Amino acid sequence: MRILITGSNGLLGQKVVDLCLSKGLPFLATSSGENRYSKCPDSQYQTLDITDEANIKVVFDQYLPTHIIHTAAMTNVDACEAQPEACDLVNRQAVYMLAKASLAIGAHFQLLSTDFVFDGEAGPYKETDQPNPLSVYARSKYEAEQLLQEVDGLNYSIVRTIIVYGQGEQLSRSNLILWAKEALQEGKPLNIVDDQFRAPTWADDLAWACVRICEMEQTGIFHISGPETISIYDIVLRVAAYYQLPTDQITRLKSNTLNQAAKRPPRTGFILDKAMRTLNYKPHTLEETFALLN
Ligand SMILES: NC(=O)c1ccc[n+]([C@@H]2O[C@H](COP(=O)([O-])OP(=O)(O)OC[C@H]3O[C@@H](n4cnc5c(N)ncnc54)[C@H](OP(=O)(O)O)[C@@H]3O)[C@@H](O)[C@H]2O)c1
């Protein structure tokens, strides 16, 4: 097995690097720009812009991976709404280029996707439920999923996930749990919606599932999330309760008062039966993971 990771500077990418190192799995970490993860040896890192087809070909032909774990993406949903062309290039067109390059060397291609492919009217969702994306980001991810079926002969998996959280180094953006914990500790005001329901996912659990799918040569769609679907407001309250932080700075809001550029699905969450049965996936609870955050 030789794993090529895209987006290794991102939160999930860093966790996949950790796992490959701890399991002794051969890997090449790639991301845009310089290596920003201190635990990833520079000798196992290469800059790869996933929107550059020639760059993809050179890196793939040199390393000859057997599996590609494709975590890189434009992940800020409101930025995607404002820049639909950039979003389409990174989240859809690049996937097609990477998938074709994977086929050419006979490698398994794994795409990271999102609960946002669903409209949130009937969560929690199973893998066979019908998507209905509501935003530019969500559509780009769903179209990327569909493109994989068009690459004849491609061996692929799709891992959909929900609000990924955990600790990383020099991340380009924070994540809900870390942000809430820091804001509560600093006594900053927090405006939190109570009408969006999600199953937050510990990045280490997600990385474990991504690698496990590759190791087991599984294909098709997998729903991978935390075990519990609750409102964003309740997630923040759980952070406050665990760390014994005051909640008087939290204001409870409805989504329609926020004026966010991208429309969000009200209630997602995943039915995890397939992952539990096939992969023996056992996600950690929020409190189990809080104990591991600094
Ligand atoms: N985070 C969530 O809550 C969530 C929820 C559902 C699905 N997902 C999906 O899960 C995956 C991993 O998410 P994450 O939270 O780990 O994302 P992340 O922390 O935002 O990391 C994404 C990485 O992709 C890299 N990247 C962006 N454009 C690139 C390009 N043209 N070439 C090479 N690398 C590029 C970024 O590099 P820079 O750091 O240099 O910008 C970043 O390191 C994504 O596919 C995302 O759509 C995430």
Side-chain angles (χ1 to χ4, degrees), residues 25-292:
L25 293 172
F27 73 93
L28 180 71
T30 72
S31 212
S32 59
E34 295 296 301
N35 181 16
R36 297 205 307 268
Y37 188 37
S38 67
K39 289 189 192 152
C40 178
D42 282 336
S43 58
Q44 284 177 264
Y45 180 86
Q46 205 159 330
T47 300
L48 172 60
D49 176 358
I50 56 159
T51 65
D52 180 341
E53 197 157 21
N55 195 184
I56 295 172
K57 186 167 167 34
V58 169
V59 173
F60 277 39
D61 285 351
Q62 269 171 7
Y63 187 66
L64 291 177
T66 57
H67 297 78
I68 289 90
I69 300 185
H70 177 46
T71 81
M74 190 163 162
T75 53
N76 180 322
V77 295
D78 292 319
C80 288
E81 209 68 18
Q83 302 164 55
E85 283 169 14
C87 172
D88 184 70
L89 179 62
V90 176
N91 289 356
R92 188 184 65 83
Q93 295 179 44
V95 167
Y96 192 52
M97 293 185 231
L98 289 162
K100 281 192 302 177
S102 302
L103 178 69
I105 57 168
H108 175 116
F109 180 75
Q110 181 177 85
L111 171 68
L112 266 293
S113 187
T114 169
D115 56 330
F116 278 27
V117 299
F118 298 108
D119 59 21
E121 296 300 328
Y125 292 98
K126 55 184 184 300
E127 288 82 353
T128 48
D129 286 333
Q130 180 57 42
N132 182 28
L134 301 178
S135 64
V136 169
Y137 167 79
R139 260 192 307 280
S140 72
K141 285 289 190 175
Y142 182 47
E143 287 171 8
E145 289 188 5
Q146 291 177 303
L147 271 182
L148 298 186
Q149 291 161 28
E150 290 170 24
V151 182
D152 237 0
L154 178 70
N155 184 5
Y156 69 88
S157 53
I158 294 168
V159 180
R160 294 186 183 137
T161 190
I162 308 177
I163 301 194
V164 183
Y165 70 94
Q167 223 143 19
E169 281 178 19
Q170 300 189 61
L171 298 173
S172 39
R173 62 192 194 112
S174 187
N175 51 77
L176 174 66
I177 306 280
L178 282 192
W179 168 79
K181 179 173 173 247
E182 281 165 20
L184 289 165
Q185 280 167 337
E186 289 164 16
K188 287 186 181 158
L190 285 89
N191 293 327
I192 308 293
V193 293
D194 66 0
D195 57 354
Q196 290 182 32
F197 294 79
R198 304 284 182 261
T201 309
W202 176 235
D204 300 64
D205 285 339
L206 176 60
W208 181 91
C210 291
V211 171
R212 176 93 170 153
I213 288 166
C214 294
E215 286 176 325
M216 294 182 72
E217 301 293 352
Q218 289 288 327
T219 56
I221 303 176
F222 282 87
H223 281 183
I224 301 292
S225 71
E228 198 182 355
T229 302
I230 53 175
S231 75
I232 309 271
Y233 179 74
D234 283 328
I235 295 170
V236 173
L237 286 188
R238 294 270 285 273
V239 174
Y242 184 86
Y243 295 104
Q244 299 180 335
L245 295 165
T247 55
D248 46 309
Q249 290 289 78
I250 306 175
T251 306
R252 189 176 180 148
L253 294 178
K254 298 293 172 202
S255 302
N256 61 10
T257 63
L258 275 186
N259 239 346
Q260 289 173 309
K263 202 168 172 203
R264 269 82 167 163
R267 182 184 287 271
T268 64
F270 284 158
I271 293 166
L272 298 172
D273 293 357
K274 179 180 174 185
M276 288 174 164
R277 199 180 54 244
T278 317
L279 310 174
N280 201 22
Y281 176 63
K282 291 178 186 152
H284 290 85
T285 63
L286 280 175
E287 282 72 16
E288 282 169 345
T289 65
F290 292 163
L292 301 169

